[in-house]
Amino acid sequence: MKEQVQDYYGKVLQGSDDLQTNACCTDDAMPRFMKKALANIHDEVLTRYYGCGLVCPEQLKGCRILDLGSGSGRDCYALAQLVGEEGSVVGVDMTDEQLEVANRHIEYHREKFGYAHANTEFLKGEIEKLHELDLPDNSFDIIVSNCVINLSTDKEAVLREALRLLKPGGELYFSDVYADRRVPAELVDDPVLYGECLSGALYWNDFLNLAKKAGFADPRLVEDRPITIDNSAIEEKVGHIRFFSATYRLFKLEELESHCEEYGQAVIYKGTIDHRPEVFELDGHHAIERGKVFPVCGNTWRMLHDTRFKDHFEFIGSFDTHYGIFAGCGHDLPFTTATAEAGGSSGGCC
Ligand SMILES: C[S@@+](CC[C@H](N)C(=O)[O-])C[C@H]1O[C@@H](n2cnc3c(N)ncnc32)[C@H](O)[C@@H]1O
């Protein structure tokens, strides 16, 4: 399967127009600052973008970021601008042709961003075997990935390696494709369905259990959208299986509990996170408005207090008294949110 994937992204596809479905595509909606960052990126890098979501977590200045399956480097070069010259970005990919494109434009982007030294590098490697690269434990603030983990044949190893490389309080923030049921083996073996990021997709509940098993106790769903295939032959093959793209954030915080527990705590957002003056959205259920007392469970408290977000909140309460289960968090499953009720959105251009 590894060779098939390398062949698909190295030789079969020359650009996003060659994709046969819109699974590896991203909706156009994105914040203005991100559009501005993308406008600085070289055309060849943009042409070979095959992501399915927006991997742009908040408050990146000075962060060290790792991108798993960085492809031609679009997300790395966008993030390289957001971390600033004091931050850095490392991309890992196993396909030579993708790495060649990414590496060819390092100097172009250094100059474009006005940096004295390039803050982006690309390494050849497999995301299941990151221990083979010279990357120290606990060395990244954030790990991102865009439409890649579905292609891995050992997804548990990928999550384990990500946990090892993240600093305490760091997060894995990634977009990927999921299915509403387990994909039958004969479809997994289909090279086009697999290469198009469909048949390697995990059933969402298997993903949640895998993430918890790997040490990410409370996965948070940031956003999701249904994938429309727009290719009758492929639609016929996948039958009733519904696929969707979802972005999760998984914090490396040892003390997270398996459920949201109530300790009578609350936070007040100061409005100081970059590009988020009015509201900070931790996930699909936590749109925290500036200046308002916002009740939180113990896990949400820790995601804000024991991470890079700490200075941007006032914290009310403690863990001294437990009041039972917390009712307010909500853990909608992908594709059960408003997008589904509205009939879903079609995939945008890549
Ligand atoms: C769908 S593309 C996404 C690329 C990039 N993230 C983007 O948004 O354009 C998948 C990429 O993941 C890489 N890839 C797939 N499986 C991998 C693995 N096990 N280890 C390293 N790279 C992998 C492929 O070479 C390809 O470049």
Side-chain angles (χ1 to χ4, degrees), residues 249 251 253 266-269 273 280-282 286 288 294 296-315:
R249 71 192 321 164
F251 284 94
L253 290 167
V267 297
I268 302 174
Y269 177 44
I273 290 179
F280 169 75
E281 292 185 46
L282 176 69
H286 294 83
I288 309 176
F294 190 95
V296 291
C297 72
N299 281 354
T300 299
W301 166 286
R302 289 198 159 101
M303 290 174 196
L304 301 173
H305 185 272
D306 300 344
T307 64
R308 67 189 186 284
F309 300 126
K310 181 177 181 175
D311 292 344
H312 303 280
F313 289 87
E314 283 172 43
F315 294 88

PDB file of all heavy atoms in Angstrom, residues 249 251 253 266-269 273 280-282 286 288 294 296-315:
ATOM      1  N   ARG A 249      -8.794  18.525  17.282  1.00  0.00           N
ATOM      2  CA  ARG A 249      -7.617  18.928  18.049  1.00  0.00           C
ATOM      3  C   ARG A 249      -7.492  17.995  19.247  1.00  0.00           C
ATOM      4  O   ARG A 249      -8.463  17.738  19.964  1.00  0.00           O
ATOM      5  CB  ARG A 249      -7.666  20.419  18.418  1.00  0.00           C
ATOM      6  CG  ARG A 249      -8.656  20.842  19.438  1.00  0.00           C
ATOM      7  CD  ARG A 249      -8.833  22.369  19.529  1.00  0.00           C
ATOM      8  NE  ARG A 249      -7.601  23.136  19.394  1.00  0.00           N
ATOM      9  CZ  ARG A 249      -7.578  24.454  19.136  1.00  0.00           C
ATOM     10  NH1 ARG A 249      -8.707  25.130  19.007  1.00  0.00           N
ATOM     11  NH2 ARG A 249      -6.436  25.085  19.025  1.00  0.00           N
ATOM     12  N   PHE A 251      -5.144  17.401  22.551  1.00  0.00           N
ATOM     13  CA  PHE A 251      -4.115  18.001  23.410  1.00  0.00           C
ATOM     14  C   PHE A 251      -3.325  16.921  24.146  1.00  0.00           C
ATOM     15  O   PHE A 251      -3.886  15.908  24.577  1.00  0.00           O
ATOM     16  CB  PHE A 251      -4.769  18.923  24.447  1.00  0.00           C
ATOM     17  CG  PHE A 251      -5.224  20.234  23.871  1.00  0.00           C
ATOM     18  CD1 PHE A 251      -6.531  20.392  23.438  1.00  0.00           C
ATOM     19  CD2 PHE A 251      -4.346  21.301  23.753  1.00  0.00           C
ATOM     20  CE1 PHE A 251      -6.959  21.597  22.905  1.00  0.00           C
ATOM     21  CE2 PHE A 251      -4.766  22.511  23.222  1.00  0.00           C
ATOM     22  CZ  PHE A 251      -6.077  22.661  22.794  1.00  0.00           C
ATOM     23  N   LEU A 253      -2.181  16.363  27.310  1.00  0.00           N
ATOM     24  CA  LEU A 253      -2.346  16.813  28.697  1.00  0.00           C
ATOM     25  C   LEU A 253      -2.641  15.577  29.531  1.00  0.00           C
ATOM     26  O   LEU A 253      -3.716  14.971  29.405  1.00  0.00           O
ATOM     27  CB  LEU A 253      -3.518  17.801  28.800  1.00  0.00           C
ATOM     28  CG  LEU A 253      -3.314  19.180  28.164  1.00  0.00           C
ATOM     29  CD1 LEU A 253      -4.631  19.927  28.048  1.00  0.00           C
ATOM     30  CD2 LEU A 253      -2.322  19.994  28.988  1.00  0.00           C
ATOM     31  N   ALA A 266     -15.063  28.384  35.599  1.00  0.00           N
ATOM     32  CA  ALA A 266     -15.426  29.223  34.448  1.00  0.00           C
ATOM     33  C   ALA A 266     -14.186  29.978  33.979  1.00  0.00           C
ATOM     34  O   ALA A 266     -13.184  30.056  34.705  1.00  0.00           O
ATOM     35  CB  ALA A 266     -16.514  30.212  34.843  1.00  0.00           C
ATOM     36  N   VAL A 267     -14.249  30.491  32.745  1.00  0.00           N
ATOM     37  CA  VAL A 267     -13.148  31.311  32.216  1.00  0.00           C
ATOM     38  C   VAL A 267     -13.732  32.601  31.635  1.00  0.00           C
ATOM     39  O   VAL A 267     -14.920  32.661  31.305  1.00  0.00           O
ATOM     40  CB  VAL A 267     -12.359  30.573  31.102  1.00  0.00           C
ATOM     41  CG1 VAL A 267     -11.687  29.315  31.654  1.00  0.00           C
ATOM     42  CG2 VAL A 267     -13.250  30.225  29.909  1.00  0.00           C
ATOM     43  N   ILE A 268     -12.867  33.604  31.532  1.00  0.00           N
ATOM     44  CA  ILE A 268     -13.252  34.838  30.825  1.00  0.00           C
ATOM     45  C   ILE A 268     -12.181  35.101  29.774  1.00  0.00           C
ATOM     46  O   ILE A 268     -10.986  35.205  30.098  1.00  0.00           O
ATOM     47  CB  ILE A 268     -13.347  36.049  31.772  1.00  0.00           C
ATOM     48  CG1 ILE A 268     -14.370  35.773  32.883  1.00  0.00           C
ATOM     49  CG2 ILE A 268     -13.741  37.302  30.983  1.00  0.00           C
ATOM     50  CD1 ILE A 268     -14.425  36.864  33.953  1.00  0.00           C
ATOM     51  N   TYR A 269     -12.589  35.187  28.511  1.00  0.00           N
ATOM     52  CA  TYR A 269     -11.636  35.430  27.411  1.00  0.00           C
ATOM     53  C   TYR A 269     -11.277  36.912  27.355  1.00  0.00           C
ATOM     54  O   TYR A 269     -12.146  37.781  27.394  1.00  0.00           O
ATOM     55  CB  TYR A 269     -12.269  34.959  26.091  1.00  0.00           C
ATOM     56  CG  TYR A 269     -11.412  35.234  24.880  1.00  0.00           C
ATOM     57  CD1 TYR A 269     -10.041  34.980  24.892  1.00  0.00           C
ATOM     58  CD2 TYR A 269     -11.967  35.755  23.711  1.00  0.00           C
ATOM     59  CE1 TYR A 269      -9.241  35.239  23.786  1.00  0.00           C
ATOM     60  CE2 TYR A 269     -11.183  36.011  22.593  1.00  0.00           C
ATOM     61  CZ  TYR A 269      -9.816  35.758  22.645  1.00  0.00           C
ATOM     62  OH  TYR A 269      -9.022  36.011  21.549  1.00  0.00           O
ATOM     63  N   ILE A 273      -6.074  36.817  21.702  1.00  0.00           N
ATOM     64  CA  ILE A 273      -5.477  35.839  20.780  1.00  0.00           C
ATOM     65  C   ILE A 273      -5.461  36.442  19.368  1.00  0.00           C
ATOM     66  O   ILE A 273      -6.450  37.050  18.934  1.00  0.00           O
ATOM     67  CB  ILE A 273      -6.254  34.504  20.837  1.00  0.00           C
ATOM     68  CG1 ILE A 273      -5.974  33.834  22.198  1.00  0.00           C
ATOM     69  CG2 ILE A 273      -5.894  33.576  19.679  1.00  0.00           C
ATOM     70  CD1 ILE A 273      -6.686  32.528  22.437  1.00  0.00           C
ATOM     71  N   PHE A 280     -13.182  33.329  20.722  1.00  0.00           N
ATOM     72  CA  PHE A 280     -12.214  32.247  20.521  1.00  0.00           C
ATOM     73  C   PHE A 280     -12.990  30.936  20.483  1.00  0.00           C
ATOM     74  O   PHE A 280     -13.733  30.616  21.412  1.00  0.00           O
ATOM     75  CB  PHE A 280     -11.196  32.230  21.673  1.00  0.00           C
ATOM     76  CG  PHE A 280     -10.345  30.992  21.679  1.00  0.00           C
ATOM     77  CD1 PHE A 280      -9.330  30.843  20.744  1.00  0.00           C
ATOM     78  CD2 PHE A 280     -10.551  29.970  22.600  1.00  0.00           C
ATOM     79  CE1 PHE A 280      -8.536  29.689  20.729  1.00  0.00           C
ATOM     80  CE2 PHE A 280      -9.766  28.827  22.596  1.00  0.00           C
ATOM     81  CZ  PHE A 280      -8.757  28.690  21.653  1.00  0.00           C
ATOM     82  N   GLU A 281     -12.802  30.176  19.389  1.00  0.00           N
ATOM     83  CA  GLU A 281     -13.511  28.902  19.272  1.00  0.00           C
ATOM     84  C   GLU A 281     -12.548  27.759  19.526  1.00  0.00           C
ATOM     85  O   GLU A 281     -11.736  27.429  18.676  1.00  0.00           O
ATOM     86  CB  GLU A 281     -14.129  28.781  17.883  1.00  0.00           C
ATOM     87  CG  GLU A 281     -15.252  29.771  17.687  1.00  0.00           C
ATOM     88  CD  GLU A 281     -15.984  29.606  16.367  1.00  0.00           C
ATOM     89  OE1 GLU A 281     -16.319  28.468  16.016  1.00  0.00           O
ATOM     90  OE2 GLU A 281     -16.182  30.633  15.698  1.00  0.00           O
ATOM     91  N   LEU A 282     -12.655  27.186  20.718  1.00  0.00           N
ATOM     92  CA  LEU A 282     -11.791  26.044  21.051  1.00  0.00           C
ATOM     93  C   LEU A 282     -12.166  24.844  20.193  1.00  0.00           C
ATOM     94  O   LEU A 282     -11.323  24.119  19.682  1.00  0.00           O
ATOM     95  CB  LEU A 282     -11.940  25.696  22.540  1.00  0.00           C
ATOM     96  CG  LEU A 282     -11.174  24.467  23.013  1.00  0.00           C
ATOM     97  CD1 LEU A 282      -9.672  24.712  22.988  1.00  0.00           C
ATOM     98  CD2 LEU A 282     -11.617  24.052  24.414  1.00  0.00           C
ATOM     99  N   HIS A 286     -17.453  25.273  21.793  1.00  0.00           N
ATOM    100  CA  HIS A 286     -16.921  26.287  22.704  1.00  0.00           C
ATOM    101  C   HIS A 286     -16.542  27.540  21.941  1.00  0.00           C
ATOM    102  O   HIS A 286     -15.393  27.703  21.550  1.00  0.00           O
ATOM    103  CB  HIS A 286     -15.712  25.757  23.468  1.00  0.00           C
ATOM    104  CG  HIS A 286     -16.036  24.643  24.406  1.00  0.00           C
ATOM    105  ND1 HIS A 286     -16.145  23.341  23.995  1.00  0.00           N
ATOM    106  CD2 HIS A 286     -16.297  24.659  25.741  1.00  0.00           C
ATOM    107  CE1 HIS A 286     -16.458  22.589  25.041  1.00  0.00           C
ATOM    108  NE2 HIS A 286     -16.551  23.363  26.110  1.00  0.00           N
ATOM    109  N   ILE A 288     -16.117  31.059  22.735  1.00  0.00           N
ATOM    110  CA  ILE A 288     -15.984  31.791  23.994  1.00  0.00           C
ATOM    111  C   ILE A 288     -15.838  33.281  23.694  1.00  0.00           C
ATOM    112  O   ILE A 288     -14.814  33.732  23.184  1.00  0.00           O
ATOM    113  CB  ILE A 288     -14.759  31.266  24.796  1.00  0.00           C
ATOM    114  CG1 ILE A 288     -14.824  29.725  24.901  1.00  0.00           C
ATOM    115  CG2 ILE A 288     -14.702  31.920  26.166  1.00  0.00           C
ATOM    116  CD1 ILE A 288     -13.625  29.096  25.584  1.00  0.00           C
ATOM    117  N   PHE A 294     -17.717  32.271  31.159  1.00  0.00           N
ATOM    118  CA  PHE A 294     -18.065  31.097  30.357  1.00  0.00           C
ATOM    119  C   PHE A 294     -17.787  29.832  31.193  1.00  0.00           C
ATOM    120  O   PHE A 294     -16.633  29.480  31.443  1.00  0.00           O
ATOM    121  CB  PHE A 294     -17.191  31.123  29.090  1.00  0.00           C
ATOM    122  CG  PHE A 294     -17.577  30.121  28.035  1.00  0.00           C
ATOM    123  CD1 PHE A 294     -18.417  30.471  26.993  1.00  0.00           C
ATOM    124  CD2 PHE A 294     -17.079  28.820  28.074  1.00  0.00           C
ATOM    125  CE1 PHE A 294     -18.776  29.547  26.020  1.00  0.00           C
ATOM    126  CE2 PHE A 294     -17.426  27.889  27.098  1.00  0.00           C
ATOM    127  CZ  PHE A 294     -18.277  28.262  26.074  1.00  0.00           C
ATOM    128  N   VAL A 296     -16.994  26.144  32.284  1.00  0.00           N
ATOM    129  CA  VAL A 296     -16.247  25.074  31.582  1.00  0.00           C
ATOM    130  C   VAL A 296     -16.119  23.837  32.468  1.00  0.00           C
ATOM    131  O   VAL A 296     -16.165  23.928  33.699  1.00  0.00           O
ATOM    132  CB  VAL A 296     -14.817  25.528  31.179  1.00  0.00           C
ATOM    133  CG1 VAL A 296     -14.853  26.579  30.085  1.00  0.00           C
ATOM    134  CG2 VAL A 296     -14.028  26.039  32.387  1.00  0.00           C
ATOM    135  N   CYS A 297     -15.917  22.694  31.813  1.00  0.00           N
ATOM    136  CA  CYS A 297     -15.619  21.462  32.543  1.00  0.00           C
ATOM    137  C   CYS A 297     -14.123  21.457  32.897  1.00  0.00           C
ATOM    138  O   CYS A 297     -13.353  22.302  32.412  1.00  0.00           O
ATOM    139  CB  CYS A 297     -15.968  20.249  31.686  1.00  0.00           C
ATOM    140  SG  CYS A 297     -14.816  20.012  30.312  1.00  0.00           S
ATOM    141  N   GLY A 298     -13.717  20.478  33.688  1.00  0.00           N
ATOM    142  CA  GLY A 298     -12.307  20.388  34.084  1.00  0.00           C
ATOM    143  C   GLY A 298     -11.377  20.216  32.893  1.00  0.00           C
ATOM    144  O   GLY A 298     -10.283  20.791  32.852  1.00  0.00           O
ATOM    145  N   ASN A 299     -11.793  19.429  31.892  1.00  0.00           N
ATOM    146  CA  ASN A 299     -10.921  19.209  30.723  1.00  0.00           C
ATOM    147  C   ASN A 299     -10.731  20.489  29.912  1.00  0.00           C
ATOM    148  O   ASN A 299      -9.624  20.812  29.492  1.00  0.00           O
ATOM    149  CB  ASN A 299     -11.522  18.132  29.815  1.00  0.00           C
ATOM    150  CG  ASN A 299     -11.257  16.726  30.334  1.00  0.00           C
ATOM    151  OD1 ASN A 299     -10.525  16.557  31.308  1.00  0.00           O
ATOM    152  ND2 ASN A 299     -11.847  15.729  29.685  1.00  0.00           N
ATOM    153  N   THR A 300     -11.825  21.217  29.672  1.00  0.00           N
ATOM    154  CA  THR A 300     -11.707  22.471  28.911  1.00  0.00           C
ATOM    155  C   THR A 300     -10.816  23.456  29.663  1.00  0.00           C
ATOM    156  O   THR A 300      -9.974  24.144  29.073  1.00  0.00           O
ATOM    157  CB  THR A 300     -13.104  23.073  28.649  1.00  0.00           C
ATOM    158  OG1 THR A 300     -13.851  22.130  27.872  1.00  0.00           O
ATOM    159  CG2 THR A 300     -13.009  24.387  27.887  1.00  0.00           C
ATOM    160  N   TRP A 301     -11.015  23.528  30.981  1.00  0.00           N
ATOM    161  CA  TRP A 301     -10.156  24.396  31.820  1.00  0.00           C
ATOM    162  C   TRP A 301      -8.693  24.076  31.537  1.00  0.00           C
ATOM    163  O   TRP A 301      -7.876  24.968  31.304  1.00  0.00           O
ATOM    164  CB  TRP A 301     -10.516  24.137  33.287  1.00  0.00           C
ATOM    165  CG  TRP A 301      -9.551  24.666  34.303  1.00  0.00           C
ATOM    166  CD1 TRP A 301      -8.311  24.158  34.615  1.00  0.00           C
ATOM    167  CD2 TRP A 301      -9.714  25.799  35.157  1.00  0.00           C
ATOM    168  NE1 TRP A 301      -7.721  24.892  35.600  1.00  0.00           N
ATOM    169  CE2 TRP A 301      -8.559  25.911  35.964  1.00  0.00           C
ATOM    170  CE3 TRP A 301     -10.751  26.723  35.323  1.00  0.00           C
ATOM    171  CZ2 TRP A 301      -8.401  26.907  36.910  1.00  0.00           C
ATOM    172  CZ3 TRP A 301     -10.592  27.711  36.279  1.00  0.00           C
ATOM    173  CH2 TRP A 301      -9.428  27.810  37.054  1.00  0.00           C
ATOM    174  N   ARG A 302      -8.357  22.777  31.556  1.00  0.00           N
ATOM    175  CA  ARG A 302      -6.939  22.398  31.363  1.00  0.00           C
ATOM    176  C   ARG A 302      -6.469  22.722  29.947  1.00  0.00           C
ATOM    177  O   ARG A 302      -5.322  23.111  29.726  1.00  0.00           O
ATOM    178  CB  ARG A 302      -6.760  20.905  31.651  1.00  0.00           C
ATOM    179  CG  ARG A 302      -6.902  20.592  33.127  1.00  0.00           C
ATOM    180  CD  ARG A 302      -6.324  19.247  33.525  1.00  0.00           C
ATOM    181  NE  ARG A 302      -6.034  19.215  34.950  1.00  0.00           N
ATOM    182  CZ  ARG A 302      -6.802  18.631  35.873  1.00  0.00           C
ATOM    183  NH1 ARG A 302      -7.906  18.015  35.524  1.00  0.00           N
ATOM    184  NH2 ARG A 302      -6.453  18.668  37.148  1.00  0.00           N
ATOM    185  N   MET A 303      -7.352  22.574  28.939  1.00  0.00           N
ATOM    186  CA  MET A 303      -6.976  22.895  27.552  1.00  0.00           C
ATOM    187  C   MET A 303      -6.669  24.387  27.382  1.00  0.00           C
ATOM    188  O   MET A 303      -5.986  24.789  26.448  1.00  0.00           O
ATOM    189  CB  MET A 303      -8.096  22.483  26.584  1.00  0.00           C
ATOM    190  CG  MET A 303      -8.237  20.975  26.443  1.00  0.00           C
ATOM    191  SD  MET A 303      -9.664  20.529  25.441  1.00  0.00           S
ATOM    192  CE  MET A 303      -9.842  18.789  25.878  1.00  0.00           C
ATOM    193  N   LEU A 304      -7.226  25.196  28.297  1.00  0.00           N
ATOM    194  CA  LEU A 304      -6.971  26.634  28.220  1.00  0.00           C
ATOM    195  C   LEU A 304      -5.880  27.077  29.202  1.00  0.00           C
ATOM    196  O   LEU A 304      -5.111  27.984  28.914  1.00  0.00           O
ATOM    197  CB  LEU A 304      -8.273  27.417  28.493  1.00  0.00           C
ATOM    198  CG  LEU A 304      -9.415  27.108  27.520  1.00  0.00           C
ATOM    199  CD1 LEU A 304     -10.702  27.794  27.963  1.00  0.00           C
ATOM    200  CD2 LEU A 304      -9.050  27.553  26.098  1.00  0.00           C
ATOM    201  N   HIS A 305      -5.803  26.404  30.333  1.00  0.00           N
ATOM    202  CA  HIS A 305      -4.904  26.838  31.407  1.00  0.00           C
ATOM    203  C   HIS A 305      -3.502  26.246  31.282  1.00  0.00           C
ATOM    204  O   HIS A 305      -2.503  26.884  31.624  1.00  0.00           O
ATOM    205  CB  HIS A 305      -5.516  26.441  32.759  1.00  0.00           C
ATOM    206  CG  HIS A 305      -4.746  26.930  33.947  1.00  0.00           C
ATOM    207  ND1 HIS A 305      -3.708  26.216  34.520  1.00  0.00           N
ATOM    208  CD2 HIS A 305      -4.849  28.085  34.659  1.00  0.00           C
ATOM    209  CE1 HIS A 305      -3.215  26.899  35.533  1.00  0.00           C
ATOM    210  NE2 HIS A 305      -3.886  28.041  35.643  1.00  0.00           N
ATOM    211  N   ASP A 306      -3.411  25.001  30.792  1.00  0.00           N
ATOM    212  CA  ASP A 306      -2.110  24.310  30.774  1.00  0.00           C
ATOM    213  C   ASP A 306      -1.511  24.299  29.368  1.00  0.00           C
ATOM    214  O   ASP A 306      -0.793  23.358  28.995  1.00  0.00           O
ATOM    215  CB  ASP A 306      -2.279  22.863  31.279  1.00  0.00           C
ATOM    216  CG  ASP A 306      -2.818  22.828  32.706  1.00  0.00           C
ATOM    217  OD1 ASP A 306      -2.774  23.878  33.385  1.00  0.00           O
ATOM    218  OD2 ASP A 306      -3.311  21.764  33.133  1.00  0.00           O
ATOM    219  N   THR A 307      -1.839  25.288  28.558  1.00  0.00           N
ATOM    220  CA  THR A 307      -1.396  25.354  27.165  1.00  0.00           C
ATOM    221  C   THR A 307      -0.971  26.786  26.827  1.00  0.00           C
ATOM    222  O   THR A 307      -0.989  27.665  27.687  1.00  0.00           O
ATOM    223  CB  THR A 307      -2.558  24.966  26.212  1.00  0.00           C
ATOM    224  OG1 THR A 307      -3.590  25.956  26.371  1.00  0.00           O
ATOM    225  CG2 THR A 307      -3.121  23.581  26.529  1.00  0.00           C
ATOM    226  N   ARG A 308      -0.647  27.012  25.557  1.00  0.00           N
ATOM    227  CA  ARG A 308      -0.218  28.356  25.127  1.00  0.00           C
ATOM    228  C   ARG A 308      -1.341  29.393  25.227  1.00  0.00           C
ATOM    229  O   ARG A 308      -1.102  30.590  25.025  1.00  0.00           O
ATOM    230  CB  ARG A 308       0.318  28.294  23.683  1.00  0.00           C
ATOM    231  CG  ARG A 308      -0.730  27.965  22.624  1.00  0.00           C
ATOM    232  CD  ARG A 308      -0.076  27.706  21.273  1.00  0.00           C
ATOM    233  NE  ARG A 308      -1.036  27.528  20.188  1.00  0.00           N
ATOM    234  CZ  ARG A 308      -1.761  26.442  19.975  1.00  0.00           C
ATOM    235  NH1 ARG A 308      -1.644  25.398  20.786  1.00  0.00           N
ATOM    236  NH2 ARG A 308      -2.599  26.381  18.954  1.00  0.00           N
ATOM    237  N   PHE A 309      -2.564  28.957  25.545  1.00  0.00           N
ATOM    238  CA  PHE A 309      -3.692  29.897  25.638  1.00  0.00           C
ATOM    239  C   PHE A 309      -3.819  30.559  27.014  1.00  0.00           C
ATOM    240  O   PHE A 309      -4.639  31.455  27.200  1.00  0.00           O
ATOM    241  CB  PHE A 309      -4.999  29.176  25.290  1.00  0.00           C
ATOM    242  CG  PHE A 309      -5.004  28.594  23.900  1.00  0.00           C
ATOM    243  CD1 PHE A 309      -5.298  27.258  23.679  1.00  0.00           C
ATOM    244  CD2 PHE A 309      -4.685  29.391  22.800  1.00  0.00           C
ATOM    245  CE1 PHE A 309      -5.285  26.724  22.394  1.00  0.00           C
ATOM    246  CE2 PHE A 309      -4.671  28.862  21.520  1.00  0.00           C
ATOM    247  CZ  PHE A 309      -4.966  27.526  21.317  1.00  0.00           C
ATOM    248  N   LYS A 310      -3.031  30.094  27.982  1.00  0.00           N
ATOM    249  CA  LYS A 310      -3.213  30.501  29.391  1.00  0.00           C
ATOM    250  C   LYS A 310      -3.306  32.021  29.596  1.00  0.00           C
ATOM    251  O   LYS A 310      -4.199  32.508  30.285  1.00  0.00           O
ATOM    252  CB  LYS A 310      -2.059  29.947  30.229  1.00  0.00           C
ATOM    253  CG  LYS A 310      -2.184  30.301  31.687  1.00  0.00           C
ATOM    254  CD  LYS A 310      -1.088  29.682  32.509  1.00  0.00           C
ATOM    255  CE  LYS A 310      -1.289  30.067  33.972  1.00  0.00           C
ATOM    256  NZ  LYS A 310      -0.346  29.422  34.848  1.00  0.00           N
ATOM    257  N   ASP A 311      -2.379  32.751  28.974  1.00  0.00           N
ATOM    258  CA  ASP A 311      -2.322  34.199  29.247  1.00  0.00           C
ATOM    259  C   ASP A 311      -3.518  34.954  28.665  1.00  0.00           C
ATOM    260  O   ASP A 311      -3.684  36.149  28.927  1.00  0.00           O
ATOM    261  CB  ASP A 311      -1.041  34.796  28.635  1.00  0.00           C
ATOM    262  CG  ASP A 311       0.193  34.287  29.353  1.00  0.00           C
ATOM    263  OD1 ASP A 311       0.036  33.739  30.464  1.00  0.00           O
ATOM    264  OD2 ASP A 311       1.299  34.412  28.788  1.00  0.00           O
ATOM    265  N   HIS A 312      -4.333  34.291  27.890  1.00  0.00           N
ATOM    266  CA  HIS A 312      -5.427  34.980  27.201  1.00  0.00           C
ATOM    267  C   HIS A 312      -6.776  34.820  27.919  1.00  0.00           C
ATOM    268  O   HIS A 312      -7.807  35.220  27.403  1.00  0.00           O
ATOM    269  CB  HIS A 312      -5.520  34.472  25.751  1.00  0.00           C
ATOM    270  CG  HIS A 312      -4.215  34.678  25.024  1.00  0.00           C
ATOM    271  ND1 HIS A 312      -3.846  35.883  24.498  1.00  0.00           N
ATOM    272  CD2 HIS A 312      -3.174  33.830  24.823  1.00  0.00           C
ATOM    273  CE1 HIS A 312      -2.638  35.782  23.955  1.00  0.00           C
ATOM    274  NE2 HIS A 312      -2.217  34.547  24.147  1.00  0.00           N
ATOM    275  N   PHE A 313      -6.728  34.202  29.105  1.00  0.00           N
ATOM    276  CA  PHE A 313      -7.963  33.965  29.868  1.00  0.00           C
ATOM    277  C   PHE A 313      -7.785  34.338  31.333  1.00  0.00           C
ATOM    278  O   PHE A 313      -6.678  34.282  31.870  1.00  0.00           O
ATOM    279  CB  PHE A 313      -8.352  32.473  29.790  1.00  0.00           C
ATOM    280  CG  PHE A 313      -8.847  32.062  28.426  1.00  0.00           C
ATOM    281  CD1 PHE A 313      -7.942  31.662  27.451  1.00  0.00           C
ATOM    282  CD2 PHE A 313     -10.195  32.119  28.121  1.00  0.00           C
ATOM    283  CE1 PHE A 313      -8.381  31.306  26.171  1.00  0.00           C
ATOM    284  CE2 PHE A 313     -10.638  31.765  26.855  1.00  0.00           C
ATOM    285  CZ  PHE A 313      -9.741  31.362  25.883  1.00  0.00           C
ATOM    286  N   GLU A 314      -8.909  34.709  31.964  1.00  0.00           N
ATOM    287  CA  GLU A 314      -8.953  34.735  33.438  1.00  0.00           C
ATOM    288  C   GLU A 314      -9.622  33.437  33.848  1.00  0.00           C
ATOM    289  O   GLU A 314     -10.561  32.974  33.184  1.00  0.00           O
ATOM    290  CB  GLU A 314      -9.816  35.904  33.919  1.00  0.00           C
ATOM    291  CG  GLU A 314      -9.129  37.248  33.835  1.00  0.00           C
ATOM    292  CD  GLU A 314     -10.119  38.359  34.132  1.00  0.00           C
ATOM    293  OE1 GLU A 314     -10.922  38.218  35.085  1.00  0.00           O
ATOM    294  OE2 GLU A 314     -10.100  39.340  33.375  1.00  0.00           O
ATOM    295  N   PHE A 315      -9.153  32.868  34.949  1.00  0.00           N
ATOM    296  CA  PHE A 315      -9.675  31.560  35.375  1.00  0.00           C
ATOM    297  C   PHE A 315     -10.380  31.702  36.722  1.00  0.00           C
ATOM    298  O   PHE A 315      -9.840  32.284  37.661  1.00  0.00           O
ATOM    299  CB  PHE A 315      -8.530  30.550  35.477  1.00  0.00           C
ATOM    300  CG  PHE A 315      -7.919  30.252  34.122  1.00  0.00           C
ATOM    301  CD1 PHE A 315      -6.883  31.033  33.620  1.00  0.00           C
ATOM    302  CD2 PHE A 315      -8.405  29.211  33.337  1.00  0.00           C
ATOM    303  CE1 PHE A 315      -6.344  30.793  32.362  1.00  0.00           C
ATOM    304  CE2 PHE A 315      -7.871  28.957  32.085  1.00  0.00           C
ATOM    305  CZ  PHE A 315      -6.838  29.745  31.595  1.00  0.00           C
TER     306      PHE A 315
END
